[in-house]
Amino acid sequence: MRKPFALLAACLMLAGMVAPASVVAGEADPDQPSSAWSFDAPALRERFRIAGFGTLAATTTSLEDADYRTRIEQREGVGRTESTSLGMDSVLAAQLDARITAEVTATVQLVSRRVEFDDYSPGTEWAYLKYWSDENWYLRAGRLVAPAFYNSNVRSIGYAQTWLRPPVDVYLLNPLTWMEGGDIGSVFRAGDATIRAALAYGTADTRIYVTETSVSELVYRNWIAHASLETGPHRVRAMVWDIRGRIGNVPDNQILSLFETSIDALVAAGLPGASTLRGEIAYTEPIQAWFHNVGYGFMHPVWVVEAELVQRWVSGTAIQDAIGGYVLAGRRIAHVTPYLMYSEVRSGEDKTLPRIDASGQAMPLPFHAAVVNTIADVMTTNRSSHTIAMGARIDPMENLAVKAQWDHVRKPMGSPGDMFVNADPVWGATRQSVNVLTVAVDFVF
Amino acid sequence: MPASRALMMTLPLILAVACLLLSPTTRAAGSVSVGVNESESVMELTEDQVRDLFMGKKIVLPGNSQRVVLFDCPDKAVREAFYQRVAKRTDVQMRAYWTRMQFTGEGIPPQKPADSNELRQRMASTQGAVGYCKPVDMNVPGVRPVWQSGE
């Protein structure tokens, strides 16, 4: 999915280059932002703006029986695989904005970070055209941010945030960072308040790594409505997201394809409960989900507060319902902003699934029953976790922030915790506490 | 405990202490003045209008349709005082705020001239320019003061 958008990114930039010079020459657009560099030729400088951001981070943990990861696609993290990781939280990005006409702009953001493998090849995070019909209304089309959370549009920009990384428990509930489609949005003033609202539609895909034999490719179609109100130091945002998705690689996913074979055999044999289970866990059928949240931020010269509540509801049992949230509070003292954050995710109401009893049946039905019962147990497993994080943001110079954050992650007995992979089976099944320490330098240029 | 982990455990403390020790104190900035390029028709701005412009919530001057070009004062103490007054935020918070605005395509951050001479020069030569600094920097040929804070 990334290569076509690299091509689109190039096309958007080309469109900016071939647009009539007279169209942009009359624009009184600023020369360039202070943190950006631009081409020397005045015509190009008016039309193009390049800026970038990045994070260099080192992460270590007390964990030795599993890996701690920060993205659902990551096959490895810090802990069992390596004691200290320089790549898990590091990111480097460049953004090119081009003014094509007075009303149309193009934006391309390339991001290099570790996603699934230990591979930092840059990918196209955003590539879209934006059309302003007037000062209040706009349309965008292309690859856009997937506005899942209060901080989705800047989740990779460490410099724009107080914390070192978004709360992993909560942000793993929706791993999408971009989608391909469009949105219509508006920005209005009402007294002292600024109101932003948008309606978006788009498609996206993502890979969820569980084990080497189970990497699920989820394909989504999304309708999203979100709105925010900002007045003084306060900002409130709410979002509703309707997701229609499916797992696109069931035949290639050894665990899921084994489940499909087994449940079909049990249904064909007419074993009690098999049909009910088939209806609840159908990996080849579309999945409908709702994801909604409400967030609040308070940005005061001394105090910083941020909180968000997120709920995920999924039809069937292929993906669990969940509710999560976090609260962050910080206080600025000179150039240092120490902060404390608590985040938690809880599985939704327990879904009870029938167990298939194949005792007395001829092989391979007992084998199929064992497979199905095991997967049904996994699907109804509690996936709760919570994290207490303490950290500090230090601003020693312009456009650069140094951060340190300590995370104390706890998972109850039986919960694998979505932030852990490659876990020892005993470790994964028992109650655990994990400490993670990260030091990072965030910068913009 | 491996050496790398021991280093990681002590590094945050070292960094925090170093930054606290190195933190400069902010000196008093005095009064702050906002000016516009003299070709603009606006004669006066309210504090709310100044705030809206420097937070990217308005991109044109009253009675005008042309986008403004924002300029920050090169003096850090003046910047700190200005943003504390009009935006109720620190200079660092404003840089984080503008980083968010810039990378989400919602706004273009103020430009920061190297010194007050460059500020005066660029304010006077840039159509749509809106900047702030000490009153003496806004009372120059080509620039019209439109708002001033108290001491």
Side-chain angles (χ1 to χ4, degrees), chain A residues 122-135:
Chain A
T124 309
E125 186 72 9
W126 300 346
Y128 60 82
L129 291 169
K130 185 173 187 177
Y131 167 72
W132 282 95
S133 66
D134 58 33
E135 198 186 351

Side-chain angles (χ1 to χ4, degrees), chain A residues 126 189 300-301 394 398, chain B residues 5 19 52 79 88 93 103:
Chain A
W126 300 346
R189 297 302 307 273
H300 181 269
I394 305 161
E398 286 193 16
Chain B
R5 285 192 183 175
C19 285
D52 287 352
R79 284 203 308 275
K88 309 291 185 285
Q93 287 174 326
F103 286 107

Side-chain angles (χ1 to χ4, degrees), chain A residues 81-151:
Chain A
T81 302
E82 53 183 346
S83 62
T84 301
S85 170
L86 296 176
M88 197 173 70
D89 288 298
S90 296
V91 60
L92 183 64
Q95 181 167 316
L96 181 54
D97 293 291
R99 178 164 295 279
I100 296 171
T101 70
E103 295 84 17
V104 179
T105 58
T107 297
V108 175
Q109 188 182 95
L110 302 175
V111 177
S112 170
R113 65 182 165 216
R114 182 198 287 183
V115 185
E116 187 172 352
F117 300 98
D118 198 12
D119 172 15
Y120 300 86
S121 303
T124 309
E125 186 72 9
W126 300 346
Y128 60 82
L129 291 169
K130 185 173 187 177
Y131 167 72
W132 282 95
S133 66
D134 58 33
E135 198 186 351
N136 300 115
W137 289 90
Y138 67 83
L139 287 167
R140 294 190 299 178
R143 178 175 288 187
L144 315 168
V145 61
F149 298 100
Y150 182 84
N151 278 305

Side-chain angles (χ1 to χ4, degrees), chain B residues 19-151:
Chain B
C19 285
L20 279 172
L21 292 174
L22 293 172
S23 295
T25 52
T26 305
R27 60 188 165 78
S31 152
V32 181
S33 181
V34 172
V36 299
N37 179 279
E38 207 170 45
S39 66
E40 300 300 323
S41 59
V42 65
M43 303 302 289
E44 197 175 25
L45 290 175
T46 66
E47 186 170 330
D48 285 350
Q49 288 171 324
V50 170
R51 181 198 62 207
D52 287 352
L53 287 166
F54 279 90
M55 293 191 75
K57 294 177 177 177
K58 284 286 180 188
I59 57 172
V60 297
L61 285 165
N64 203 337
S65 61
Q66 182 173 297
R67 284 169 182 251
V68 295
V69 183
L70 301 174
F71 287 94
D72 266 335
C73 181
D75 187 315
K76 181 172 172 50
V78 176
R79 284 203 308 275
E80 196 76 52
F82 176 74
Y83 284 122
Q84 288 272 9
R85 168 73 186 261
V86 302
K88 309 291 185 285
R89 296 185 190 206
T90 64
D91 183 38
V92 167
Q93 287 174 326
M94 285 306 296
R95 274 188 268 126
Y97 174 86
W98 273 111
T99 298
R100 178 185 291 259
M101 296 282 284
Q102 177 182 358
F103 286 107
T104 54
E106 293 176 5
I108 299 161
Q111 298 175 45
K112 195 174 294 171
D115 53 40
S116 56
N117 282 336
E118 186 185 334
L119 173 69
R120 296 174 187 187
Q121 191 180 16
R122 295 184 69 182
M123 289 275 299
S125 62
T126 307
Q127 204 174 1
V130 183
Y132 67 89
C133 211
K134 295 173 185 170
V136 66
D137 296 315
M138 296 294 116
N139 269 309
V140 294
V143 178
R144 179 188 308 126
V146 290
W147 181 81
Q148 185 166 327
S149 73
E151 288 290 331

Side-chain angles (χ1 to χ4, degrees), chain B residues 6-19:
Chain B
L7 178 64
M8 286 289 297
M9 294 291 174
T10 53
L11 202 53
L13 185 63
I14 295 168
L15 286 170
V17 171
C19 285

